[in-house]
Amino acid sequence: MTRQPLLIGNWKMHTSLDDALALAQGTAAIADEVRPSVDVGVCPPFPWIVSIAQKVRGTSLLIGAQDLSADSDGSFTGDVSASMLAPWCQFVLVGHSERRTVHQESDEVVTRKVRAAREHGLGVVLCVGETAAARAAGRAESTVSGQLESALIDVSSDDAATMTIAYEPVWAIGSGTAATVEEIQAMSGTIRRWLTSRHGLVADGIRILYGGSVSQHNVRELFDAADVDGALVGGASLDRGTFRALVEAAIGSR
Ligand code: PEP
């Protein structure tokens, strides 16, 4: 099955409103140029989402949130619910390692967030990945399989078909050292086999992204990995020219 490449820029806690609007407009122009060959999305900081969604309406750029609350509403100071995001976003990142580590999000919370997003029709980009210590101890694959097992425990095959998995080794995020293409393919293959064991043929259509220090220098070989369908990009998505180079590398890669 042919899977359409997908590139997502995760802007984290960067940009001013003016910077974000300009970057979104520039990225939307790229998304329009490369459609229908490649899907392009961005995850701006929460306060900019509405302005950006209004600005790029009618373009091909997909808007995502970087996180969401596991709860639907109530006294949760600082949190943002799926129903607040759904009018403006097509998808949401769930389980990013910065949420799992800095905010101590447990597998159980990640499971509830996946459920909350699905209940409101938001596409889920589920982030999984092992720490350097887990890899050194030979537990990279069991860590990732355990994260999938927990997060997708009650997800039907119909719902799984709409989801994306982002493999992001924690040690590669923001470190300047990406995983090798062999490591990325090995883990993406493990993820695809896990998905197949649960959801059969549906797994063939589920996109698997790689994230972790993706740059202009390593992006081409990334697409050599048979099970990799795109990238989740942090730092390199903040510069329009650099992000364009990453998107261009995806064209014709499938
Ligand atoms: C990320 O935040 O998901 C990420 C992969 O960051 P970077 O590309 O900066 O390593």
Side-chain angles (χ1 to χ4, degrees), residues 101-135:
T101 53
V102 183
H103 297 273
Q104 281 89 45
E105 262 181 26
S106 64
D107 280 343
E108 191 220 329
V109 169
V110 172
T111 309
R112 292 182 57 222
K113 289 187 172 191
V114 169
R115 215 174 285 151
R118 295 305 308 139
E119 279 168 10
H120 288 84
L122 284 164
V124 170
V125 177
L126 174 68
C127 303
V128 294
E130 80 286 359
T131 60
R135 178 161 282 268

Side-chain angles (χ1 to χ4, degrees), residues 8-12 14 93 96-98 127 166-170 172-177 210-215 231-238 246:
I8 297 174
N10 173 15
W11 297 353
K12 309 194 185 191
H14 297 294
L93 305 184
H96 191 283
S97 77
E98 286 154 13
C127 303
Y167 168 52
E168 299 206 300
V170 179
I173 296 178
S175 67
T177 306
Y210 168 75
S213 297
V214 174
S215 72
L232 178 53
V233 183
S237 68
L238 292 168
L246 305 187

Side-chain angles (χ1 to χ4, degrees), residues 2 5 18 22 36 56 89 98 110-111 121 160 182 203 210 232 239 252:
T2 314
D18 285 349
V56 304
C89 296
E98 286 154 13
V110 172
T111 309
E182 291 77 17
Y210 168 75
L232 178 53
D239 178 82

Side-chain angles (χ1 to χ4, degrees), residues 36 81 88 90 251 253:
S81 70
W88 312 105
Q90 286 81 48
I251 298 174
S253 63

Side-chain angles (χ1 to χ4, degrees), residues 57-93:
R57 186 171 290 150
T59 73
S60 310
L61 185 66
L62 303 169
I63 306 293
Q66 298 174 17
D67 184 39
L68 80 167
S69 173
D71 291 286
S72 52
D73 81 332
S75 301
F76 300 102
T77 303
D79 282 353
V80 178
S81 70
S83 63
M84 294 170 179
L85 296 170
W88 312 105
C89 296
Q90 286 81 48
F91 70 94
V92 58
L93 305 184

